């Protein structure tokens, strides 16, 4: 197509006698290169995420070249001797019509971007089989309280992509928030089978066992979560420390709460636990106050 544009520019008569021969073809050749070259790296789809190979930002630079080509095209329009503002009337009218169409299109596109629910709803309509946009729509729906609609979207993605672990994680997170620990456990176990490095999945597997009274089973999950979590991520050591405290391992709990403070020095809950456990270790007969394993946990859905 770039070659066809160049031939058109080369064969079209000059806009004015004063324009040097070949100027237009050189401008269009340059513009065509600007149009094509920024897109070339994106043709290597192996470096792009599956189902996520097209974004409007890929067109930002190419649009500069396209705009220059469009300007050359408008400048080539001829239609009688009528003029407006010192240029052929057909050029002014054509340019105005295109500008008006772009304004109207921009207004309609802005409505789509009004909020995340509108944006992802439109995205799913355009690409119904794209798992990423459908999961994001499900996430937004659940955050708005539309849990049944969100769960249905998750299940649609799982049916089509049964090995995509992120869907199981987000669905498990939804069930966990709804208090359906059995279904949440099923989803997080599926994540753990596929991705042993998912710290959040192991964290919630431990929290589920803690909430259901299976303290001894919770510890290995929470310990693994703390080990594989990214450096500087809060919440993991706090959850483990809480369970160890309930289990009676005060020294181990104290170490975990101190590790939590290294990650998040201003966390009040962890600091209170350190003070309390140190008192308990000095006075073994003194009862301690219970701590919530989730107090220092701020994990969310996976962001796409």
């Amino acid at each position: 197509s770039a070659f066809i544009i160049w031939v058109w520019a080369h064969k079209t008569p000059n806009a004015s006698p004063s324009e040097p021969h070949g100027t237009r073809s050189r401008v269009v050749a340059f513009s065509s290169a600007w149009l094509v070259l920024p897109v070339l790296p994106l043709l290597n789809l192996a470096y792009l995420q599956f189902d996520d190979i097209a974004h409007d930002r890929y067109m930002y630079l190419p649009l500069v070249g396209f705009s220059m080509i469009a300007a050359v095209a408008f400048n080539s329009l001829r239609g009688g001797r009528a003029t407006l503002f010192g240029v052929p009337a057909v050029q002014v009218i054509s340019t105005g019509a295109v500008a008006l169409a772009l304004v109207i299109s921009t207004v309609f596109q802005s409505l789509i971007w009004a909020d995340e629910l509108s944006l992802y709803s439109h995205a799913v309509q355009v690409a119904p089989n794209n798992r990423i946009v459908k999961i994001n729509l499900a996430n937004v729906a659940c955050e708005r309280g539309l849990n049944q609609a969100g769960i249905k979207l998750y299940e649609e993605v799982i049916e089509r992509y049964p090995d995509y672990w992120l869907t199981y994680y987000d669905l498990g997170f939804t069930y966990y928030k709804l208090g359906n620990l059995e279904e949440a456990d099923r989803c997080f176990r599926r994540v753990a089978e596929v991705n042993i490095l998912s710290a959040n999945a192991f964290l919630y597997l431990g929290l589920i066992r803690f909430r259901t009274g299976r303290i001894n089973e919770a510890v290995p999950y929470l310990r693994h979560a703390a080990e594989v979590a990214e450096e500087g991520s809060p919440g993991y050591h706090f959850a483990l420390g809480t369970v160890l405290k309930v289990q009676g391992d005060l020294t181990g709990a104290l170490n975990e709460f101190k590790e939590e403070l290294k990650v998040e020095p201003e966390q009040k809950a962890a600091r209170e636990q350190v003070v309390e456990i140190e008192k308990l270790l000095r006075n073994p007969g003194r009862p301690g106050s219970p701590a919530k394993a989730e107090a220092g946990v701020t994990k969310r859905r996976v962001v796409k």
Side-chain angles (χ1 to χ4, degrees), residues 23-74:
T23 297
R24 182 174 302 159
S25 60
R26 288 195 295 272
V27 170
V28 172
F30 173 78
S31 303
S32 299
W34 198 321
L35 177 66
V36 174
L37 292 179
V39 182
L40 292 181
L42 303 173
L43 298 181
N44 188 352
L45 301 182
Y47 288 97
L48 300 177
Q49 185 173 345
F50 179 75
D51 263 5
D52 192 31
I53 62 174
H55 290 274
D56 52 4
R57 63 177 178 269
Y58 298 161
M59 293 293 103
Y60 292 166
L61 287 177
L63 276 175
V64 176
F66 178 82
S67 298
M68 289 190 288
I69 294 172
V72 172
F74 281 121

Side-chain angles (χ1 to χ4, degrees), residues 111-143:
L111 296 176
I112 296 172
W113 287 81
D115 56 41
E116 288 186 325
L117 190 60
S118 299
L119 175 62
Y120 290 124
S121 295
H122 175 74
V124 169
Q125 291 177 359
V126 174
N129 294 325
N130 187 299
R131 61 189 181 184
I132 295 175
V133 296
K134 186 167 285 190
I135 291 173
N136 285 340
L137 177 59
N139 291 345
V140 173
C142 291
E143 289 168 2

Side-chain angles (χ1 to χ4, degrees), residues 21-295:
H21 180 70
T23 297
R24 182 174 302 159
S25 60
R26 288 195 295 272
V27 170
V28 172
F30 173 78
S31 303
S32 299
W34 198 321
L35 177 66
V36 174
L37 292 179
V39 182
L40 292 181
L42 303 173
L43 298 181
N44 188 352
L45 301 182
Y47 288 97
L48 300 177
Q49 185 173 345
F50 179 75
D51 263 5
D52 192 31
I53 62 174
H55 290 274
D56 52 4
R57 63 177 178 269
Y58 298 161
M59 293 293 103
Y60 292 166
L61 287 177
L63 276 175
V64 176
F66 178 82
S67 298
M68 289 190 288
I69 294 172
V72 172
F74 281 121
N75 193 46
S76 302
L77 294 175
R78 294 290 180 271
R81 298 182 179 181
T83 61
L84 286 173
F85 310 110
V87 297
V90 65
Q91 295 181 14
V92 177
I93 295 172
S94 300
T95 303
V98 171
L100 179 61
L102 291 174
V103 168
I104 295 173
S105 175
T106 300
V107 170
F108 280 105
Q109 289 294 318
S110 298
L111 296 176
I112 296 172
W113 287 81
D115 56 41
E116 288 186 325
L117 190 60
S118 299
L119 175 62
Y120 290 124
S121 295
H122 175 74
V124 169
Q125 291 177 359
V126 174
N129 294 325
N130 187 299
R131 61 189 181 184
I132 295 175
V133 296
K134 186 167 285 190
I135 291 173
N136 285 340
L137 177 59
N139 291 345
V140 173
C142 291
E143 289 168 2
R144 299 288 183 89
L146 305 173
N147 294 301
Q148 293 307 313
I151 290 173
K152 182 179 179 182
L153 289 169
Y154 290 134
E155 291 175 345
E156 289 177 2
V157 177
I158 289 175
E159 183 178 358
R160 187 175 182 85
Y161 303 101
D163 296 324
Y164 193 51
W165 67 269
L166 287 175
T167 319
Y168 289 96
Y169 176 84
D170 286 344
L171 179 57
F173 181 90
T174 298
Y175 280 130
Y176 186 86
K177 290 298 182 182
L178 292 174
N180 190 339
L181 300 185
E182 183 178 352
E183 285 299 315
D185 186 73
R186 178 182 64 82
C187 292
F188 288 129
R189 279 191 287 109
R190 176 59 176 157
V191 176
E193 290 172 1
V194 178
N195 184 7
I196 196 172
L197 298 179
S198 176
N200 284 2
F202 283 90
L203 172 69
Y204 282 112
L205 285 171
L207 292 177
I208 289 170
R209 278 146 185 78
F210 178 72
R211 290 179 60 178
T212 53
R214 295 174 287 171
I215 306 298
N216 292 335
E217 294 181 25
V219 172
Y221 285 110
L222 295 176
R223 197 178 297 281
H224 180 79
E227 290 173 353
V228 301
E230 292 184 10
E231 185 176 354
S233 299
Y236 300 100
H237 291 285
F238 188 95
L240 177 57
T242 300
V243 175
L244 290 174
K245 180 184 176 185
V246 173
Q247 196 180 43
D249 184 1
L250 295 183
T251 301
L254 179 62
N255 292 335
E256 293 302 325
F257 287 126
K258 287 182 177 180
E259 288 296 321
E260 184 69 22
L261 288 174
K262 291 179 182 179
V263 176
E264 199 171 16
E266 302 302 322
Q267 190 189 135
K268 182 180 178 181
R271 190 168 299 280
E272 289 175 349
Q273 289 300 312
V274 168
V275 172
E276 181 178 319
I277 292 176
E278 288 179 341
K279 290 181 179 179
L280 288 173
L281 290 174
R282 289 194 298 267
N283 303 284
R286 180 177 176 177
S289 61
K292 292 184 178 180
E294 296 168 305

